Amino acid sequence: MPDLPAAFTALHDEPFPELLGLATQAVTSADGRWTAVSSVTSGSSRIAVYRSDDLSCVQLATFAAETDSIAFHPALPLLAVALDNGDGYCRKGGITLLEPDTGHRVDFPDPAWGVEAVRWQDERTLRATFIAMDDGTWHRTARATVVRDDWRGLAPDAVDLSSLDREPHDGTAAPDDDPPPALPLLRALAARAGRTYGPHGGVRAVAALPDGRVLATRSHVAVECRSVDGALLWSVPAPSAAGGVRIAPAADGRTVRVAVPGPDSRTRTDVLLVDTADGTVTERLTVPFSAALATRTDGVWALRDTHDRCSGAEPPTAPDTRIHSGTTLTGSVHVGDRYELIPLDVRRCPELLHLRGRRQIVALAPDGAETVLCAADPAPPARSVYVCDDRGPALLHGGTELRRRDLASGGILWTCPTGSPVIDLDAEAGVVHALCADGTLLRADAADGRLLARHRLPPYGPLSLYAAPGGTVLVGTAAGQILRCPAAGADTP
């Protein structure tokens, strides 16, 4: 089944979503027409090139290395990119040239040196600063120049970096090696276009309320609420930069329970109950350990201690799973082996499901009593969604493929290949929606696993998903965008 572009709208208008909220360097071409921005994570990076007037993204290049430096040619629409893998024992990198107007890209690898900086000395000369590391501690730096009369449309063999005459260098950065920080330039460009830019942080969890309002978590925010048109209605600050990591709205939509790691995620977890009318925190429980939240549809919830007891976070006799109804502790379970009873993160489930000994799926009652439901072979991944239809109660799993597991027998009723690991999934009205790591959104029949559609999402870094009534899917992204993908006309292969 071919990938089809997903119809979507962004819940709020935030420019530069291709940067995933991680803008590191930004440079503008000499004529002011183009702005290039690097976005770097550990071991990978991307370069987005925008039209400076309307902020539309015209080129997006990805790299399996870190982008250390970018520089526009002094006269041509041509961007030079320095790449470095950062390895202490096997350094390598290269230079990429990217033409914003034509999209032509050419990569010149260097198998023995990383490239720390590139700068145009004049219209003919590109200077590069190289680094090599041999034993993880000692490094060498060198510089070399490439001189050409023609720089556009080059073939992959036009420049051989390994044959350049490198001159040893003391590693001191030249004044022009460090461009100004990206954020001020991006904010100025956004303001000139009548927009604002302030990275909101990745949306770790997203959900919809019955009236169409949208709940989300992000950096420094335990949970926020947006109107149907995307306006921010209220926001609950988080005690740490991580923000909320798990949200569970009540069935009637009047409250939402949120799990928030503390400033030290190993030694504190806050669980908040928030009134969705105005964001008032009506309940707060703080425990002195890292914990996973499990909920069931009637509001009963459990906290599972996920901290290694050898560090002394709690006395050895303390229970490591605590079950609550509201703020009332109704039951607890102590397990000597911290891996013996593992909570399953199951959406829309009437039970608190856990994995016992990695062999059985059990349901915990409010008093802590266990009911064995079925065998778990193979063990399900942490994230699942509960469904109950003519085929009986079942769990839909993610992972490297979609699966339906019968909760009576434990058997796998069907599998559906995804082509990419599943990041998040949800089900509504007989359809399972799966968000995949390659940026695709899959829809499959929950009863028989038949693939209904496969859609390409924009490259904003998908993180989370929620299926709202009517088939609309909300997707939270690393860029901070919340995408609304309607069902109408979308499920046609």
Side-chain angles (χ1 to χ4, degrees):
M1 178 179 294
D3 290 359
L4 302 175
F8 73 94
T9 55
L11 206 62
H12 53 282
D13 182 29
E14 182 79 14
F16 314 118
E18 296 81 7
L19 303 177
L20 309 182
L22 299 171
T24 50
Q25 297 182 37
V27 292
T28 301
S29 61
D31 61 4
R33 184 181 177 188
W34 315 102
T35 297
V37 193
S38 62
S39 173
V40 181
T41 57
S42 178
S44 65
S45 57
R46 53 173 54 187
I47 299 289
V49 183
Y50 300 91
R51 290 190 179 92
S52 300
D53 54 358
D54 63 5
L55 309 187
S56 59
C57 183
V58 294
Q59 304 295 339
L60 182 64
T62 59
F63 306 91
E66 297 183 10
T67 301
D68 277 359
S69 172
I70 56 177
F72 267 114
H73 189 277
L76 301 173
L78 179 67
L79 182 73
V81 180
L83 298 167
D84 181 9
N85 71 346
D87 193 293
Y89 295 90
C90 185
R91 206 58 162 242
K92 59 184 178 179
I95 296 174
T96 290
L97 298 179
L98 179 64
E99 300 178 21
D101 54 348
T102 67
H104 179 72
R105 167 181 168 172
V106 60
D107 302 306
F108 303 118
D110 192 313
W113 295 74
V115 184
E116 285 193 312
V118 285
R119 288 295 177 266
W120 296 95
Q121 293 184 318
D122 53 49
E123 294 185 11
R124 300 178 63 245
T125 308
L126 178 66
R127 186 195 73 205
T129 303
F130 297 86
I131 182 171
M133 295 192 71
D134 301 317
D135 62 358
T137 57
W138 183 80
H139 69 273
R140 294 172 288 141
T141 57
R143 277 186 172 166
T145 58
V146 182
V147 181
R148 294 184 63 93
D149 292 324
D150 57 327
W151 278 102
R152 297 206 62 176
L154 298 186
D157 60 354
V159 177
D160 180 6
L161 297 184
S162 62
S163 67
L164 295 180
D165 184 16
R166 295 186 178 92
E167 296 182 358
H169 178 61
D170 63 5
T172 303
D176 60 350
D177 278 349
D178 295 318
L183 194 55
L185 174 58
L186 297 182
R187 284 176 169 164
L189 287 172
R192 194 172 70 187
R195 303 167 72 182
T196 59
Y197 179 65
H200 290 291
V203 178
R204 299 278 299 276
V206 63
L209 295 174
D211 60 7
R213 289 178 296 155
V214 174
L215 303 174
T217 69
R218 59 180 77 247
S219 299
H220 300 282
V221 174
V223 63
E224 68 180 23
C225 181
R226 292 183 178 270
S227 65
V228 176
D229 62 5
L232 182 63
L233 301 176
W234 51 258
S235 178
V236 178
S240 69
V245 295
R246 174 85 159 83
I247 55 178
D252 59 9
R254 294 182 179 179
T255 59
V256 59
R257 196 170 296 280
V258 188
V260 188
D264 181 350
S265 60
R266 298 184 64 198
T267 57
R268 173 177 165 179
T269 303
D270 290 288
V271 181
L272 314 178
L273 185 68
V274 180
D275 189 326
T276 60
D278 57 8
T280 300
V281 178
T282 59
E283 296 177 8
R284 181 189 296 267
L285 175 69
T286 300
V287 294
F289 49 81
S290 60
L293 174 67
T295 64
R296 68 185 200 184
T297 50
D298 65 356
V300 174
W301 56 282
L303 272 185
R304 165 66 155 89
D305 178 4
T306 58
H307 190 49
D308 192 344
R309 294 187 186 283
C310 68
S311 66
E314 280 193 301
T317 57
D320 67 358
T321 296
R322 303 175 180 184
I323 306 170
H324 299 77
S325 179
T327 56
T328 302
L329 180 66
T330 60
S332 60
V333 181
H334 173 68
V335 184
D337 182 349
R338 65 190 297 259
Y339 297 106
E340 189 174 339
L341 189 66
I342 301 172
L344 296 177
D345 184 0
V346 185
R347 277 187 167 138
R348 307 179 188 273
C349 190
E351 304 287 353
L352 294 174
L353 298 186
H354 288 65
L355 190 62
R356 164 67 73 177
R358 303 184 183 183
R359 293 191 178 95
Q360 294 177 321
I361 296 177
V362 302
L364 295 186
D367 63 359
E370 295 182 24
T371 300
V372 177
L373 298 183
C374 63
D377 186 21
R383 170 53 65 89
S384 304
V385 58
Y386 174 89
V387 295
C388 188
D389 52 25
D390 292 343
R391 303 194 68 177
L395 293 184
L396 302 177
H397 300 315
T400 56
E401 61 184 359
L402 289 175
R403 294 179 175 182
R404 175 169 175 142
R405 182 192 299 273
D406 180 51
L407 275 179
S409 67
I412 302 300
L413 302 181
W414 56 254
T415 62
C416 176
T418 59
S420 178
V422 175
I423 298 172
D424 203 355
L425 78 165
D426 198 4
E428 200 274 334
V431 176
V432 56
H433 309 266
L435 186 64
C436 297
D438 63 357
T440 56
L441 173 63
L442 306 185
R443 303 177 194 248
D445 190 297
D448 59 18
R450 177 171 49 93
L451 186 61
L452 302 175
R454 183 192 300 269
H455 300 291
R456 292 191 306 274
L457 292 169
Y460 301 166
L463 286 180
S464 55
L465 172 147
Y466 186 87
T472 295
V473 172
L474 299 173
V475 175
T477 69
Q481 295 274 20
I482 301 171
L483 307 181
R484 183 186 283 119
C485 305
D491 288 337
T492 302

